[in-house]
Amino acid sequence: MRIKVDYELCDGLGQCALVAPEVFALDDDEQLVVAPDPAPELAGKVAAAVRACPVRAISVEGA
Ligand code: SF4
């Protein structure tokens, strides 16, 4: 599973990190950090994060 975030759209408020903290996190500069290749069993949480993103900045390939 490969996750892409459109940083032009991302507001950096971290709803995705609340839904799927194993995959998404905010660093000290409130820049979103994404796990490069999350385990397949996290696909449900990643899908929930995609739905939670208010600006639809997250896309997933190979889920
Ligand atoms: S939920 Fe979307 S806009 Fe918010 S931090 Fe995550 S990727 Fe960025």
Side-chain angles (χ1 to χ4, degrees):
M1 171 175 25
R2 189 163 295 180
I3 298 171
K4 289 183 13 180
V5 172
D6 185 337
Y7 286 96
E8 296 285 320
L9 294 175
C10 177
D11 64 13
L13 294 179
Q15 290 92 330
C16 54
L18 292 175
V19 172
E22 301 89 343
V23 180
F24 301 93
L26 296 177
D27 69 11
D28 291 342
D29 297 322
E30 300 197 347
Q31 178 77 25
L32 185 66
V33 180
V34 183
D37 187 17
E41 53 266 31
L42 291 172
K45 282 194 163 188
V46 171
V50 169
R51 290 193 298 273
C53 179
V55 295
R56 302 208 175 275
I58 306 169
S59 58
V60 182
E61 297 172 359

